[in-house]
Amino acid sequence: MDLSPALAGKYITVGVTGGIAVFKVAQLVSNLKARGADLHVIMTRSAQEFVRPLTFQVLSGRPVYTGLFEHSSHYNVLHVDVATQSDLVVVVPATANVLGKVAGGIADDLLTTVIMAAACPVLFCPAMNVNMYNNPVVRRNIDDLRGLGYHFVEPGVGRLACGAQGRGRLADLEVILENITRLATPAGNLRGLTVMVTAGPTIEPIDPVRYLTNRSTGKMGYAVAEAAAGKGAKVILISGPSVLTPPRGVDIVRVETALQMFNVVMERFPETDIVVKTAAVADYRPKDVARQKIKKKGDTLSLEFTRNPDILAELGRNKTRQILVGFAAETEDLERNARQKVVRKNMDFLVANDVTQSGAGFGADTNIVKFVFPDGTIKPLPLMDKLTLAHRILDNALLLFNKKG
Ligand code: CTP
């Protein structure tokens, strides 16, 4: 079974209902986890009669949701929270009961409420007794749901848990996994698009032996380049000095100063569809670079600085079809500053990083960020590794790119 991280960064909600096939879902959840999915399991009351939530809690690495009125983070309503964050809701096994409820517009528990509120694809994997599956009411419900755009994985044929023979056993896990991957990653396909990523710090020379720089390592930008290449994009990685190895297959352009970065970015911009600007660009450079090494003299030394061009703002002024994603490292007033910045620089969204939080910022392998949109909307993301975040950023950028049309 292919366990490559094809689902890295994907928020997948697994709705488990009460059928004997629940025991197979434990293996499915484990495989989804191995594929890198960010898993959220909801169990109906009858599902808990078969398997305890603890099983899924351990396999998914997260608490299992069992009730509509549980406490949610960020003071949001739980079912809306889960529904809006999901890239896919998969109901497995899907009993005749849950199909009937959804087809009839009933939302009387957490799972059916999430399904009702979901804006993402919903995939049902039915499993039930053959007579139930062939019952005209169930057939009608499935047809109605298909007609409304719900997705299905047909159950398999064979010996059923109840002893009967026929169609009704849960489809092969491999088939379910493939369907989940296909439905959860439509935005994952960047083939045919060019993504430009800026990464790392810039360095601004003072004299032939000294320069000013910052703590950026390039990890975030290199992760975005890796994720974009993995999704099939043509990738231009414009990197300030970094010890990292560029991902395979990307077009790497190495620069040092903000002015060099500015020139390359502007030159390559017309061929670009999505720009992700993770680079920590120096806002100022020494006004004059001394031709000779500066000798020490008095107790203090003053340097005069001049403004560097703001590359992102310039892209914002010039953008046509491109989606512009900026980064901001803030240490205070994150939301207010980010909301202003996203508008001022004409970005499509901003990835705002509170670098004072542990697990965030320079050199870390993880980030805790918020997506900030020009209309003021803020989407907080949980702590995640930089590659997962890179996938999220690109999925969001592609969604906006497609919307822009
Ligand atoms: N950026 C840029 N060119 C610059 C400075 C920054 O393209 N000369 C880009 C960065 O790559 C990043 C974004 O702008 O994507 C935000 O940078 P930041 O320094 O946080 O924002 P500023 O607008 O410079 O705001 P402030 O100085 O108030 O922090």
Side-chain angles (χ1 to χ4, degrees), residues 277-279 281-283 309-312 326-329 341 344-345:
K277 285 219 79 259
T278 69
V281 185
D283 289 321
D310 188 316
I311 308 171
L312 190 53
F327 267 69
K341 213 171 274 185
R344 180 157 39 86
K345 299 197 188 189

Side-chain angles (χ1 to χ4, degrees), residues 198 258 261 276-284 307-315 325-330 337 341 344-345 347 350:
T198 70
M261 187 174 274
V276 185
K277 285 219 79 259
T278 69
V281 185
D283 289 321
Y284 294 89
R307 270 295 274 275
N308 271 328
D310 188 316
I311 308 171
L312 190 53
E314 188 61 21
L315 294 178
V325 186
F327 267 69
E330 304 287 355
N337 284 333
K341 213 171 274 185
R344 180 157 39 86
K345 299 197 188 189
M347 299 175 215
L350 171 67

Side-chain angles (χ1 to χ4, degrees), residues 7-8 90 109 144 152 164 204 211 232 255 275 294 325 348-349 376 381-383 386:
L7 291 169
V90 51
D109 61 6
D144 285 354
F152 280 83
E204 306 296 335
Y211 58 73
V255 296
V275 183
I294 299 171
V325 186
D348 293 275
F349 68 101
L381 274 68
L383 177 97
K386 288 186 173 176

